[in-house]
Amino acid sequence: MISRTYEVGALKTYKYVVILSTYGGKLMLSRHRQRTTWETQGGHVEPGETPMEAARRELYEESGAVRYDIRALCDYWAGDEVTGEGATGRVFHAEIHELGPLPESEMAEVRLFDGLPENLTYPAITPELYAVLMKEKT
C-alpha cells in the first residue's frame, strides 16, 4: 500500500477523512478496541456529509475533542501501486484545546506522543501524512 498527497481540492470525491491531531504540542493518536496499534482519528465520509463535517464528527467520536481549531491540510490517495485500486480522502489538522470524556465508540483510548510510535495501524500511510504536517511547520 502506498499513499500520495495533493493540494486541498485537487481531488473531487472523498471516501475518507484523516485528522492529524495535536494537543499541547504533542501528537494525539487513538487505539481501536480490537487492536494494539495506534491511529489517527478519521473514517468514512457519510452520504450527504462534507469532508469537514465528517472530520468534526470523527474527531469527537474517536477522541472526545470538544474545543479545537481544524483546517484542511491536503488531499490524498491511498491504495495498491500495482493494481491502481485505492480510495481518496482529505487530511485535516486539528489543534485540540479541550478534551471531554471519550465517547462510547470503537476506540478504547487516546494517548499523546512526542513523535509517531512504531506500532501504527497504517504504517505505510500515517508517516506520509504526518510528513506533510511537519513540513508545513518548518
Side-chain angles (χ1 to χ4, degrees):
M1 173 147 323
I2 64 162
S3 66
R4 293 190 178 103
T5 59
Y6 304 87
E7 289 184 23
V8 172
L11 306 176
K12 302 303 177 201
T13 59
Y14 305 94
K15 184 172 182 176
Y16 298 102
V17 293
V18 173
I19 304 97
L20 306 175
S21 302
T22 53
Y23 183 67
K26 295 184 181 271
L27 303 176
M28 186 177 72
L29 299 172
S30 299
R31 186 181 60 78
H32 193 282
R33 290 186 185 283
Q34 297 177 345
R35 296 189 272 276
T36 59
T37 54
W38 295 96
E39 56 200 70
T40 60
Q41 295 78 43
H44 286 88
V45 177
E46 300 294 338
E49 217 175 25
T50 67
M52 180 60 83
E53 291 167 337
R56 290 179 181 279
R57 176 181 53 76
E58 292 286 356
L59 180 60
Y60 172 72
E61 290 175 358
E62 297 186 359
S63 74
V66 293
R67 195 169 57 84
Y68 51 85
D69 294 315
I70 189 169
R71 64 184 177 79
L73 185 63
C74 65
D75 289 355
Y76 80 99
W77 175 89
D80 187 294
E81 190 172 29
V82 176
T83 66
E85 292 181 18
T88 58
R90 177 154 296 162
V91 180
F92 293 84
H93 174 232
E95 178 63 39
I96 310 297
H97 303 294
E98 182 180 350
L99 289 170
L102 184 63
E104 196 62 39
S105 73
E106 70 270 15
M107 294 301 162
E109 65 179 313
V110 295
R111 187 176 294 172
L112 300 176
F113 295 87
D114 289 322
L116 287 176
E118 288 186 23
N119 56 337
L120 293 168
T121 304
Y122 305 104
I125 300 171
T126 304
E128 296 294 325
L129 300 181
Y130 266 113
V132 174
L133 179 61
M134 294 300 108
K135 181 179 178 183
E136 185 178 88
K137 288 187 172 198
T138 60

